[in-house]
Amino acid sequence: MGRLVLFCRPGFETDAGRELTDMAAQRGCYGYFSVGPAGGIVEFHLSGGERASDLMARVSIDELVFTRDWIEVLTVLELPAEDRVGAVIEALRLPDVALPPCGRLEVRLPEGHDDGDLGRFARKWVAPLSKGLRGAGLMPADQDSHGDYRLEILLTGFDQAWVGISRAANRSRFLGGIPRLRLPASAPSRSALKLEEAWKVFFPEEQALFYLGGGKKAVDLGAAPGGWSWQLVRQGMMVTAVDNGPMQAELMATGQVQHVEADGYTWRPKRGVDWMVCDIVDHPRRTAKMAVSWIVDRMCRYTIFNLKLPMKKRYDEWLICRELIEEALSETELNWFFKASHLYHDREEITCFIERRD
């Protein structure tokens, strides 16, 4: 079937749909989107007889900003009150459902659902459903031998299931695109989770030491009360925290933070550092220009910064900011990498990462 389900933050369905529609057209795949049956879900329908796999072969999930994860839809079925396992088996045996060998099963729920009974059912349903699928020969007994595809069941209620597949090479490394993080009581603010999530999303776990270790030096613009500085300190970095506001006393007591009372947009270090991070809430184009100037002027090697998008024109503003950043970088002789994502811990902002690779 030429249909995908996209997962995004509830309220951002139109942004995710527009982004994929545009990117698909640029790659020669055409279609349209509609808001799904629950918040944070978008349906993307391909036209012209193309399959979802055709699009997923041309677009990587890592290229999408507003889509956290996606699955290729095989079928949508109404679940009976009894023998829901049998209904799934019967649907997967239909001649127009081409199910590849799947290494495991995942039962998903819409983000933010408030039905505790549905959540408990989904958790308990995994074991009997897996057993039934193996017994029917639809999943191998040795699931580790088929790790490329994963069978995905999206429950939008007790009476409806979206059955699809995802491929390890082109899906989020985290289920639903959401790393599960916990905020320690010692953190100065919840914003600390944004930077931790950004690190997990923008580079693989096995490369974390390369990017974060070795006693690096960092600058945190708009630092107060210190959520992002706290994360940098946890990695062993020496941090210059730039903000006119006060920093958490416990963080300053570490001896790893120098507090500079200044405007984060105009302050510059005397010499370059490894990291510059910025969580200032201001006009996104101003933030984008400032952040890219740190890379172009060799004031930092890596930067992570947030762009606060206007509520009514989020996707349009993102396109403007992206063009601004990419044009500024392309005008230099630098070897660079740029990626952006609407993280789980973001709200109206998106988070960007630029790396200077020279």
Side-chain angles (χ1 to χ4, degrees), residues 46-357:
L46 282 154
S47 57
E50 290 183 293
R51 299 182 63 86
S53 57
D54 299 326
L55 172 59
M56 298 174 91
R58 303 177 197 181
V59 176
S60 168
I61 186 68
D62 291 333
E63 298 179 87
L64 300 172
V65 174
F66 295 97
T67 296
R68 294 176 181 158
D69 203 1
W70 57 2
I71 62 176
E72 177 182 349
V73 178
L74 298 179
T75 186
V76 180
L77 66 141
E78 302 302 316
L79 292 174
E82 302 291 337
D83 194 16
R84 295 183 176 93
V85 170
V88 173
I89 291 172
E90 183 179 349
L92 290 174
R93 282 175 166 166
L94 293 175
D96 60 339
V97 176
L99 178 67
C102 294
R104 58 173 295 187
L105 165 72
E106 192 67 55
V107 177
R108 302 189 185 209
L109 296 174
E111 182 180 330
H113 78 93
D114 56 2
D115 190 337
D117 291 336
L118 183 62
R120 285 186 289 273
F121 167 75
R123 289 190 296 272
K124 294 180 179 180
W125 195 40
V126 173
L129 181 56
S130 296
K131 182 179 179 180
L133 291 168
R134 290 195 300 270
L138 294 171
M139 290 187 70
D142 180 11
Q143 296 186 26
D144 292 336
S145 64
H146 297 278
D148 193 19
Y149 288 95
R150 185 169 69 197
L151 179 61
E152 307 272 4
I153 309 288
L154 170 64
L155 287 178
T156 55
F158 286 101
D159 58 352
Q160 188 178 67
W162 295 60
V163 182
I165 54 173
S166 64
R167 190 168 184 169
N170 199 359
R171 65 175 180 236
S172 172
R173 291 182 288 126
F174 311 99
L175 184 63
I178 304 174
R180 300 300 174 179
L181 307 177
R182 182 174 297 177
L183 183 72
S186 58
S189 66
R190 289 195 60 81
S191 68
L193 292 176
K194 289 192 218 175
L195 187 55
E196 184 179 0
E197 182 182 357
W199 287 335
K200 291 183 177 295
V201 168
F202 291 139
F203 40 82
E205 185 177 1
E206 62 270 18
Q207 296 182 17
L209 185 62
F210 170 80
Y211 284 101
L212 305 176
K216 290 181 171 57
K217 295 181 180 179
V219 170
D220 182 2
L221 302 179
W228 285 27
S229 292
W230 176 82
Q231 288 284 16
L232 296 165
V233 165
R234 291 180 81 196
Q235 301 299 325
M237 299 190 199
M238 300 300 294
V239 182
T240 301
V242 183
D243 200 305
N244 286 312
M247 299 290 288
Q248 185 198 56
E250 293 82 357
L251 180 61
M252 297 304 299
T254 63
Q256 292 176 241
V257 181
Q258 176 189 7
H259 183 195
V260 177
E261 296 186 22
D263 181 354
Y265 277 107
T266 58
W267 184 87
R268 290 293 185 275
K270 293 181 180 179
R271 57 187 60 85
V273 297
D274 299 292
W275 275 95
M276 184 277 282
V277 299
C278 177
D279 192 22
I280 299 177
V281 178
D282 205 321
H283 197 286
R285 295 179 213 179
R286 185 186 184 197
T287 302
K289 291 176 182 178
M290 181 272 294
V292 78
S293 72
W294 275 70
I295 292 288
V296 172
D297 295 339
R298 297 178 180 272
M299 287 292 96
C300 67
R301 182 168 294 276
Y302 316 106
T303 179
I304 286 178
F305 56 96
N306 280 338
L307 299 177
K308 180 70 179 336
L309 302 179
M311 185 172 294
K312 293 185 178 180
K313 293 185 177 181
R314 293 178 298 217
Y315 177 60
D316 299 289
E317 184 65 27
W318 157 240
L319 292 180
I320 294 171
C321 290
R322 183 185 69 182
E323 183 177 10
L324 184 157
I325 292 169
E326 291 181 340
E327 283 189 355
L329 292 170
S330 298
E331 289 173 357
T332 72
E333 296 181 355
L334 298 175
N335 183 13
W336 50 271
F337 172 78
F338 171 45
K339 180 173 169 55
S341 181
H342 189 207
L343 303 176
Y344 175 71
H345 291 95
D346 287 337
R347 294 185 180 178
E348 295 297 321
E349 70 274 15
I350 60 174
T351 301
C352 301
F353 171 56
I354 306 177
E355 175 184 355
R356 177 166 56 85
R357 293 177 169 175

